[in-house]
Amino acid sequence: MKNLAETCGGDCSSCGKAETCTDGRKREYEQRKIVEKQKTLLKARMGQIKHKIAVVSGKGGVGKSTVTANLAVALAKHGYKVGVLDADIYGPCIPKMLGMRGERLNVGPPGAFPAAGPLGIRVVSIDFLLSEDDTPVIWRGPLVTGAIRQFLSEFVWGQLDFLLIDLPPGTGDAPLSVMQLIPEMDGAIIVTIPSEISQIVVKKAITFSRQLGIPVIGIVENMSGFVCPKCGFKVEVFGSGGGLAVAEELSVPFLGSIPLDPAVCDSSDWGVSFAMKDPDSAAAKAFASIVSKIEEFVGAKGAEVTPSEGLKQRIAMEDEPDVPRNSEKTVKP
Ligand code: ADP
């Protein structure tokens, strides 16, 4: 009689012994089935989102999450329906920056729901699932990929104009897997600071996107000069013009510069976007101009860029049937 190792092809669907089988391949088979189901769901959920844009940085600390959070607000202010996936699993900051810490993710029959943030922005972050402030996520790459796949497939994002994805920093395993998970990504926005060191890493980030076949929408130069509020003198703390120089060298659009401004940092700490708090500031104006360039980019692709029902959504968020709030149930990590 042949033993199981010889007869098992790892396909339990046609095996009469699948019910009682304890072979490790059955677990692998079941795991494969789950992943396949998630992939199908992911495609369907992502198909409801008009534009998916990754926010990328060659290294941490340059303001990638700040740009993501404020760009989300700037787009929502333009009337777009916006979602943010905080894929920076090891350093999730989006809930803090949007004043959403302590929110919980609700579940209902069709799946789990993003938390509703300012202007109706729909946010999913691992931060909503961590019990303590100082709880680190100590996961290897495959677990991160699995979590992001779940965030994309099992959450009811609904119809959105834009989904911004705050990627983990760098060009390693984690950002790579996330980029590969999302079908038909429109493009990537690359965030950098003006210093020469950042110019080196930002080039890697651009090459990274290009190698994955994801168009570079453009470069945002953050922390670009500090204007003294007392005397008006501009100090180039991290140098100047680095982002523009790289954009010209690698023939990618330059989207704009955001000044180094203590108010930007304060507003992140307070969870109030400066695009809302101080719309006349140079930083907020820079974001409004970046939004126009994104509109040009998606418009040039022949895609629809008119805000769909964003304005209505902002007012109706509380009543919207597919985004429950204040439910008792929460998603378990
Ligand atoms: P990253 O996502 O690239 O790691 P963050 O967005 O978390 O970076 O920003 C790092 C820190 O720098 C945060 O405290 C943030 O408030 C601050 N910061 C970002 N951009 C600016 C800016 N333009 N002016 C002042 N502080 C900023």
Side-chain angles (χ1 to χ4, degrees), residues 4 8 10 12 21-32:
L4 181 66
C8 175
C12 308
C21 178
T22 53
D23 190 81
R25 277 164 291 186
K26 186 179 171 197
R27 277 192 298 280
E28 278 171 30
Y29 172 80
E30 282 166 354
Q31 194 56 38
R32 268 204 316 275

Side-chain angles (χ1 to χ4, degrees), residues 94-139:
I94 297 293
K96 171 78 177 160
M97 290 178 176
L98 291 178
M100 299 171 69
R101 290 219 74 200
E103 288 268 346
R104 282 288 171 254
L105 298 167
N106 301 306
V107 282
F113 293 87
L119 304 177
I121 298 168
R122 298 175 185 188
V123 179
V124 174
S125 170
I126 191 84
D127 188 61
F128 296 135
L129 305 171
L130 302 175
S131 51
E132 304 288 339
D133 262 7
D134 53 3
T135 310
V137 175
I138 311 171
W139 287 351

Side-chain angles (χ1 to χ4, degrees), residues 238-292:
F238 297 111
S240 71
L244 182 60
V246 173
E248 283 172 354
E249 188 187 332
L250 298 189
S251 306
V252 296
F254 184 67
L255 300 180
S257 309
I258 300 154
L260 183 71
D261 180 348
V264 171
C265 186
D266 282 353
S267 58
S268 292
D269 286 351
W270 284 98
V272 184
S273 154
F274 57 82
M276 282 203 315
K277 199 172 123 218
D278 191 0
D280 292 327
S281 65
K285 284 183 183 155
F287 271 98
S289 138
I290 294 168
V291 167
S292 310

Side-chain angles (χ1 to χ4, degrees), residues 31-32 34-43 45-46 85 87 89 141-155 157 177-178 180-182:
Q31 194 56 38
R32 268 204 316 275
I34 292 171
V35 171
E36 272 161 30
K37 195 175 155 212
Q38 282 177 341
K39 280 184 183 162
T40 313
L41 257 176
L42 187 148
K43 214 167 166 220
R45 303 256 201 241
M46 292 296 106
L85 171 64
I89 295 278
L143 267 184
V144 173
T145 314
I148 301 288
R149 193 187 299 108
Q150 255 184 299
F151 287 164
L152 292 166
S153 61
E154 292 181 13
F155 276 78
W157 288 94
S177 318
V178 179
Q180 287 177 326
L181 274 178
I182 299 168

Side-chain angles (χ1 to χ4, degrees), residues 57 59-67 88 93 97 166 222-223 258-262 264-266 268-269:
S57 70
K59 66 196 200 71
V62 297
K64 174 180 54 59
S65 301
T66 307
V67 168
D88 194 347
C93 296
M97 290 178 176
D166 185 16
N222 189 28
M223 308 191 188
I258 300 154
L260 183 71
D261 180 348
V264 171
C265 186
D266 282 353
S268 292
D269 286 351

